[in-house]
Amino acid sequence: MTSTIIWPDTQYLTGYFSRLRGVTALTEMTPLSAIWFPRCRAIHTLGMRFPIDVVALDKEGVIINVKRFLTPNRIYIQKRAHTVIELCALSPYPLESWIGAKLDLEARSQNEEKYWATRIMFERMHEHTTVASVRAISIR
């Protein structure tokens, strides 16, 4: 099994105001950034200054949908989603090919603060097929 950190700057938003504000408080996102919204089926880009990519996960953490280049002042709803992840628009990763992959998020604390990163692990299933799973780990 091989693994790589794909989003070393991951934010996990659980508070009401942090979730409401989300990406709108940012002036930019990098390809290394990700914002996780647990227990979420819909997000908005109202007031945002740039487009984003969106990944929807089901209750088991399996990727069920990818929406590329969601422009400002839009609403994205995925009724089957349990978690939504916002990414930099036109993420360089092959997100669509990861549909069906399982993502796991794990927090590590250091001095009472939580740090997050997202790690993708590839496990060889068949001769020409790989299945990805993602875990968040502390990198600080």
Side-chain angles (χ1 to χ4, degrees), residues 5 14 32 35 50 60 66 69-70 80 89 91 97 129 134 137:
I5 292 176
T14 57
L32 302 177
I35 300 182
F50 51 87
E60 285 77 39
V66 172
F69 210 77
L70 185 64
R80 297 182 308 137
S91 171
S97 70
T129 305
V134 175
I137 62 163

Side-chain angles (χ1 to χ4, degrees), residues 11-67:
Q11 296 180 42
Y12 186 68
L13 303 183
T14 57
Y16 175 77
F17 290 110
S18 64
R19 290 168 64 105
L20 182 63
R21 187 175 55 248
V23 178
T24 59
L26 303 176
T27 56
E28 67 178 10
M29 285 185 77
T30 71
L32 302 177
S33 301
I35 300 182
W36 287 66
F37 293 90
R39 299 173 315 280
C40 179
R41 292 187 174 122
I43 54 109
H44 69 84
T45 59
L46 306 175
M48 289 182 55
R49 293 168 231 152
F50 51 87
I52 58 172
D53 288 347
V54 182
V55 176
L57 309 175
D58 68 8
K59 195 169 188 170
E60 285 77 39
V62 175
I63 296 175
I64 57 174
N65 187 266
V66 172
K67 173 69 175 167

Side-chain angles (χ1 to χ4, degrees), residues 35-136:
I35 300 182
W36 287 66
F37 293 90
R39 299 173 315 280
C40 179
R41 292 187 174 122
I43 54 109
H44 69 84
T45 59
L46 306 175
M48 289 182 55
R49 293 168 231 152
F50 51 87
I52 58 172
D53 288 347
V54 182
V55 176
L57 309 175
D58 68 8
K59 195 169 188 170
E60 285 77 39
V62 175
I63 296 175
I64 57 174
N65 187 266
V66 172
K67 173 69 175 167
R68 292 282 194 165
F69 210 77
L70 185 64
T71 57
N73 302 313
R74 302 280 185 243
I75 295 176
Y76 169 83
I77 300 171
Q78 179 55 247
K79 292 182 181 179
R80 297 182 308 137
H82 185 263
T83 298
V84 174
I85 304 169
E86 296 180 356
L87 307 167
C88 175
L90 302 175
S91 171
Y93 298 112
L95 301 174
E96 293 82 1
S97 70
W98 295 351
I99 291 176
K102 183 173 174 14
L103 308 182
D104 294 316
L105 184 68
E106 180 181 310
R108 301 282 189 207
S109 295
Q110 178 180 340
N111 299 328
E112 302 296 321
E113 294 185 45
K114 289 185 180 176
Y115 298 100
W116 304 88
T118 304
R119 179 179 293 274
I120 189 163
M121 296 185 298
F122 293 97
E123 182 177 312
R124 196 167 179 96
M125 296 292 289
H126 301 292
E127 190 172 328
H128 299 290
T129 305
T130 56
V131 174
S133 66
V134 175
R135 294 184 63 159

